[in-house]
Short mmCIF file of all heavy atoms in Angstrom, two decimals:
data_model
loop_
_atom_site.label_atom_id
_atom_site.label_comp_id
_atom_site.label_asym_id
_atom_site.label_seq_id
_atom_site.Cartn_x
_atom_site.Cartn_y
_atom_site.Cartn_z
N TYR A 303 82.26 81.52 118.55
CA TYR A 303 81.55 81.75 117.29
C TYR A 303 80.41 80.75 117.08
O TYR A 303 80.57 79.54 117.29
CB TYR A 303 82.50 81.61 116.11
CG TYR A 303 83.40 82.79 115.84
CD1 TYR A 303 83.36 83.93 116.63
CD2 TYR A 303 84.30 82.76 114.77
CE1 TYR A 303 84.19 85.01 116.37
CE2 TYR A 303 85.13 83.83 114.50
CZ TYR A 303 85.08 84.95 115.30
OH TYR A 303 85.91 86.01 115.04
N VAL A 304 79.28 81.27 116.64
CA VAL A 304 78.17 80.45 116.15
C VAL A 304 77.92 80.86 114.71
O VAL A 304 77.48 81.98 114.44
CB VAL A 304 76.90 80.64 117.00
CG1 VAL A 304 75.74 79.86 116.41
CG2 VAL A 304 77.15 80.21 118.45
N VAL A 305 78.24 79.98 113.79
CA VAL A 305 78.11 80.28 112.36
C VAL A 305 76.66 80.04 111.94
O VAL A 305 76.05 79.04 112.29
CB VAL A 305 79.06 79.39 111.53
CG1 VAL A 305 78.89 79.66 110.04
CG2 VAL A 305 80.51 79.65 111.95
N SER A 306 76.10 80.99 111.17
CA SER A 306 74.71 80.88 110.74
C SER A 306 74.53 81.58 109.40
O SER A 306 75.39 82.37 108.98
CB SER A 306 73.78 81.51 111.80
OG SER A 306 74.10 82.89 111.97
N PRO A 307 73.42 81.34 108.69
CA PRO A 307 73.16 82.04 107.42
C PRO A 307 73.10 83.55 107.64
O PRO A 307 72.63 84.02 108.68
CB PRO A 307 71.81 81.48 106.98
CG PRO A 307 71.71 80.15 107.65
CD PRO A 307 72.39 80.32 108.98
N LEU A 308 73.55 84.29 106.64
CA LEU A 308 73.61 85.75 106.74
C LEU A 308 72.44 86.40 106.01
O LEU A 308 72.15 86.06 104.85
CB LEU A 308 74.92 86.28 106.16
CG LEU A 308 76.20 85.98 106.92
CD1 LEU A 308 77.41 86.47 106.13
CD2 LEU A 308 76.18 86.62 108.30
N HIS A 309 71.79 87.35 106.67
CA HIS A 309 70.74 88.14 106.04
C HIS A 309 71.35 88.96 104.90
O HIS A 309 72.42 89.57 105.05
CB HIS A 309 70.11 89.09 107.06
CG HIS A 309 69.24 90.14 106.44
ND1 HIS A 309 67.99 89.86 105.92
CD2 HIS A 309 69.44 91.48 106.25
CE1 HIS A 309 67.46 90.96 105.44
NE2 HIS A 309 68.31 91.96 105.63
N GLY A 310 70.70 88.95 103.76
CA GLY A 310 71.18 89.73 102.62
C GLY A 310 72.18 88.99 101.76
O GLY A 310 72.72 89.58 100.82
N TRP A 311 72.43 87.71 102.05
CA TRP A 311 73.37 86.90 101.27
C TRP A 311 72.71 85.56 100.99
O TRP A 311 71.94 85.05 101.80
CB TRP A 311 74.67 86.67 102.04
CG TRP A 311 75.42 87.92 102.38
CD1 TRP A 311 75.06 88.88 103.29
CD2 TRP A 311 76.65 88.36 101.81
NE1 TRP A 311 76.00 89.88 103.34
CE2 TRP A 311 76.99 89.59 102.43
CE3 TRP A 311 77.52 87.84 100.85
CZ2 TRP A 311 78.15 90.29 102.11
CZ3 TRP A 311 78.67 88.53 100.54
CH2 TRP A 311 78.98 89.75 101.15
N THR A 312 73.02 84.96 99.85
CA THR A 312 72.52 83.63 99.52
C THR A 312 73.66 82.63 99.59
O THR A 312 74.80 82.94 99.21
CB THR A 312 71.89 83.61 98.12
OG1 THR A 312 72.87 84.01 97.14
CG2 THR A 312 70.69 84.54 98.04
N GLU A 313 73.33 81.44 100.10
CA GLU A 313 74.31 80.35 100.22
C GLU A 313 75.58 80.83 100.93
O GLU A 313 76.69 80.47 100.54
CB GLU A 313 74.65 79.78 98.84
CG GLU A 313 73.48 79.19 98.09
CD GLU A 313 72.87 77.98 98.81
OE1 GLU A 313 73.63 77.24 99.45
OE2 GLU A 313 71.64 77.82 98.74
N THR A 314 75.40 81.66 101.96
CA THR A 314 76.54 82.23 102.68
C THR A 314 76.30 82.14 104.18
O THR A 314 75.23 82.53 104.66
CB THR A 314 76.75 83.72 102.29
OG1 THR A 314 76.82 83.83 100.88
CG2 THR A 314 78.03 84.25 102.92
N GLU A 315 77.28 81.65 104.89
CA GLU A 315 77.22 81.63 106.35
C GLU A 315 78.30 82.54 106.92
O GLU A 315 79.28 82.87 106.24
CB GLU A 315 77.41 80.20 106.87
CG GLU A 315 76.26 79.28 106.53
CD GLU A 315 76.36 77.94 107.24
OE1 GLU A 315 77.50 77.50 107.52
OE2 GLU A 315 75.30 77.35 107.53
N GLY A 316 78.10 82.98 108.14
CA GLY A 316 79.08 83.86 108.75
C GLY A 316 78.79 84.07 110.22
O GLY A 316 77.99 83.35 110.83
N VAL A 317 79.45 85.08 110.80
CA VAL A 317 79.34 85.37 112.22
C VAL A 317 79.08 86.85 112.39
O VAL A 317 79.88 87.69 111.93
CB VAL A 317 80.63 84.98 112.98
CG1 VAL A 317 80.48 85.29 114.46
CG2 VAL A 317 80.97 83.51 112.75
N MET A 318 77.96 87.21 113.02
CA MET A 318 77.66 88.61 113.32
C MET A 318 78.45 88.99 114.57
O MET A 318 78.14 88.57 115.68
CB MET A 318 76.16 88.80 113.55
CG MET A 318 75.74 90.24 113.68
SD MET A 318 76.08 91.27 112.23
CE MET A 318 75.06 90.48 110.98
N LEU A 319 79.49 89.79 114.38
CA LEU A 319 80.40 90.13 115.47
C LEU A 319 79.87 91.28 116.33
O LEU A 319 79.97 91.26 117.56
CB LEU A 319 81.77 90.49 114.90
CG LEU A 319 82.45 89.40 114.07
CD1 LEU A 319 83.65 89.97 113.32
CD2 LEU A 319 82.86 88.23 114.94
N ILE A 320 79.34 92.31 115.69
CA ILE A 320 78.84 93.50 116.37
C ILE A 320 77.54 93.92 115.69
O ILE A 320 77.46 93.92 114.46
CB ILE A 320 79.85 94.67 116.31
CG1 ILE A 320 81.18 94.27 116.96
CG2 ILE A 320 79.29 95.92 116.98
CD1 ILE A 320 82.29 95.29 116.72
N SER A 321 76.53 94.29 116.50
CA SER A 321 75.28 94.79 115.91
C SER A 321 74.49 95.51 116.99
O SER A 321 74.76 95.35 118.19
CB SER A 321 74.45 93.63 115.34
OG SER A 321 73.76 92.97 116.38
N PRO A 322 73.48 96.30 116.59
CA PRO A 322 72.63 96.96 117.60
C PRO A 322 71.94 95.98 118.54
O PRO A 322 71.50 96.38 119.62
CB PRO A 322 71.61 97.71 116.74
CG PRO A 322 72.33 97.98 115.46
CD PRO A 322 73.18 96.76 115.22
N ALA A 323 71.86 94.70 118.15
CA ALA A 323 71.21 93.71 119.00
C ALA A 323 71.95 93.50 120.32
O ALA A 323 71.40 92.94 121.26
CB ALA A 323 71.10 92.37 118.28
N MET A 324 73.22 93.96 120.41
CA MET A 324 73.95 93.86 121.67
C MET A 324 73.17 94.54 122.79
O MET A 324 73.01 93.98 123.87
CB MET A 324 75.34 94.47 121.55
CG MET A 324 76.35 93.59 120.85
SD MET A 324 77.95 94.42 120.72
CE MET A 324 79.00 93.02 120.34
N GLY A 325 72.71 95.77 122.56
CA GLY A 325 71.83 96.45 123.49
C GLY A 325 72.30 96.51 124.92
O GLY A 325 71.50 96.58 125.84
N VAL A 326 73.63 96.49 125.14
CA VAL A 326 74.12 96.46 126.51
C VAL A 326 74.40 97.86 127.05
O VAL A 326 74.54 98.05 128.25
CB VAL A 326 75.41 95.61 126.62
CG1 VAL A 326 75.09 94.17 126.31
CG2 VAL A 326 76.49 96.13 125.67
N ALA A 327 74.50 98.83 126.17
CA ALA A 327 74.86 100.18 126.59
C ALA A 327 73.63 101.08 126.55
O ALA A 327 72.60 100.76 125.96
CB ALA A 327 75.94 100.75 125.69
N VAL A 328 73.73 102.24 127.21
CA VAL A 328 72.68 103.25 127.09
C VAL A 328 72.47 103.57 125.62
O VAL A 328 71.36 103.75 125.14
CB VAL A 328 73.08 104.51 127.88
CG1 VAL A 328 72.07 105.62 127.64
CG2 VAL A 328 73.17 104.19 129.37
N ARG A 329 73.57 103.58 124.87
CA ARG A 329 73.51 103.77 123.43
C ARG A 329 74.38 102.71 122.79
O ARG A 329 75.59 102.82 122.75
CB ARG A 329 74.00 105.18 123.05
CG ARG A 329 73.84 105.51 121.58
CD ARG A 329 74.22 106.97 121.34
NE ARG A 329 73.97 107.35 119.96
CZ ARG A 329 74.16 108.57 119.48
NH1 ARG A 329 74.58 109.52 120.29
NH2 ARG A 329 73.93 108.84 118.22
N GLY A 330 73.76 101.63 122.35
CA GLY A 330 74.50 100.49 121.81
C GLY A 330 75.03 100.76 120.42
O GLY A 330 74.89 101.86 119.88
N PRO A 331 75.64 99.77 119.79
CA PRO A 331 76.22 99.95 118.45
C PRO A 331 75.19 100.46 117.45
O PRO A 331 74.04 100.02 117.44
CB PRO A 331 76.69 98.54 118.09
CG PRO A 331 76.89 97.85 119.40
CD PRO A 331 75.84 98.41 120.31
N ARG A 332 75.63 101.38 116.61
CA ARG A 332 74.78 101.93 115.55
C ARG A 332 75.21 101.43 114.18
O ARG A 332 74.92 102.05 113.16
CB ARG A 332 74.83 103.46 115.62
CG ARG A 332 74.15 104.05 116.85
CD ARG A 332 74.59 105.47 117.12
NE ARG A 332 75.92 105.49 117.73
CZ ARG A 332 76.70 106.57 117.79
NH1 ARG A 332 76.29 107.69 117.25
NH2 ARG A 332 77.89 106.51 118.37
N PHE A 333 75.92 100.33 114.16
CA PHE A 333 76.43 99.74 112.92
C PHE A 333 76.51 98.23 113.13
O PHE A 333 76.29 97.73 114.24
CB PHE A 333 77.80 100.31 112.58
CG PHE A 333 78.88 99.87 113.54
CD1 PHE A 333 79.76 98.84 113.21
CD2 PHE A 333 79.01 100.47 114.79
CE1 PHE A 333 80.74 98.42 114.11
CE2 PHE A 333 79.99 100.05 115.69
CZ PHE A 333 80.85 99.03 115.35
N ALA A 334 76.85 97.52 112.05
CA ALA A 334 77.07 96.08 112.15
C ALA A 334 78.42 95.74 111.56
O ALA A 334 78.88 96.40 110.60
CB ALA A 334 75.97 95.31 111.42
N MET A 335 79.08 94.73 112.12
CA MET A 335 80.35 94.23 111.61
C MET A 335 80.27 92.71 111.67
O MET A 335 79.92 92.15 112.71
CB MET A 335 81.51 94.74 112.47
CG MET A 335 82.89 94.33 111.99
SD MET A 335 84.21 95.00 113.06
CE MET A 335 84.50 93.61 114.15
N TYR A 336 80.57 92.06 110.54
CA TYR A 336 80.43 90.61 110.53
C TYR A 336 81.42 89.95 109.57
O TYR A 336 81.99 90.61 108.69
CB TYR A 336 79.00 90.18 110.22
CG TYR A 336 78.41 90.64 108.90
CD1 TYR A 336 78.50 89.85 107.75
CD2 TYR A 336 77.72 91.85 108.80
CE1 TYR A 336 77.94 90.25 106.55
CE2 TYR A 336 77.15 92.26 107.60
CZ TYR A 336 77.25 91.45 106.48
OH TYR A 336 76.69 91.86 105.29
N LEU A 337 81.61 88.65 109.78
CA LEU A 337 82.41 87.82 108.88
C LEU A 337 81.48 87.09 107.93
O LEU A 337 80.43 86.58 108.34
CB LEU A 337 83.23 86.80 109.67
CG LEU A 337 84.30 87.36 110.61
CD1 LEU A 337 84.91 86.23 111.44
CD2 LEU A 337 85.39 88.09 109.83
N ALA A 338 81.87 87.03 106.65
CA ALA A 338 81.11 86.27 105.66
C ALA A 338 82.03 85.21 105.06
O ALA A 338 83.11 85.54 104.56
CB ALA A 338 80.58 87.19 104.56
N ASN A 339 81.60 83.95 105.15
CA ASN A 339 82.37 82.84 104.60
C ASN A 339 81.72 82.40 103.29
O ASN A 339 80.61 81.87 103.29
CB ASN A 339 82.39 81.68 105.60
CG ASN A 339 82.96 82.09 106.94
OD1 ASN A 339 83.94 82.83 107.01
ND2 ASN A 339 82.35 81.62 108.02
N LEU A 340 82.40 82.64 102.19
CA LEU A 340 81.82 82.42 100.87
C LEU A 340 82.30 81.10 100.25
O LEU A 340 83.42 80.66 100.51
CB LEU A 340 82.17 83.57 99.92
CG LEU A 340 81.30 84.84 99.98
CD1 LEU A 340 81.39 85.48 101.36
CD2 LEU A 340 81.71 85.83 98.91
N THR A 341 81.43 80.52 99.42
CA THR A 341 81.77 79.38 98.58
C THR A 341 81.48 79.78 97.13
O THR A 341 81.05 80.91 96.85
CB THR A 341 80.93 78.15 98.95
OG1 THR A 341 79.57 78.38 98.58
CG2 THR A 341 81.01 77.87 100.46
N SER A 342 81.67 78.85 96.21
CA SER A 342 81.41 79.15 94.80
C SER A 342 79.94 79.40 94.52
O SER A 342 79.59 79.92 93.46
CB SER A 342 81.93 78.01 93.92
OG SER A 342 81.32 76.78 94.30
N ASP A 343 79.05 79.04 95.45
CA ASP A 343 77.61 79.25 95.28
C ASP A 343 77.11 80.51 95.98
O ASP A 343 75.92 80.82 95.94
CB ASP A 343 76.83 78.05 95.84
CG ASP A 343 77.13 76.76 95.08
OD1 ASP A 343 77.29 76.84 93.85
OD2 ASP A 343 77.23 75.71 95.73
N SER A 344 78.01 81.26 96.62
CA SER A 344 77.59 82.42 97.42
C SER A 344 77.33 83.64 96.55
O SER A 344 77.96 83.83 95.49
CB SER A 344 78.67 82.76 98.45
OG SER A 344 78.86 81.71 99.36
N CYS A 345 76.41 84.48 97.02
CA CYS A 345 76.12 85.73 96.35
C CYS A 345 75.47 86.68 97.35
O CYS A 345 74.69 86.24 98.21
CB CYS A 345 75.19 85.50 95.17
SG CYS A 345 74.76 87.01 94.25
#
Side-chain angles (χ1 to χ4, degrees):
Y303 281 0
V304 176
V305 178
S306 60
L308 290 175
H309 168 73
W311 299 70
T312 58
E313 299 297 326
T314 308
E315 292 189 331
V317 180
M318 188 61 63
L319 301 168
I320 301 170
S321 80
M324 281 179 164
V326 294
V328 174
R329 186 174 185 177
R332 291 162 283 164
F333 68 100
M335 183 179 96
Y336 58 93
L337 296 173
N339 303 319
L340 277 62
T341 69
S342 57
D343 297 322
S344 298
C345 180

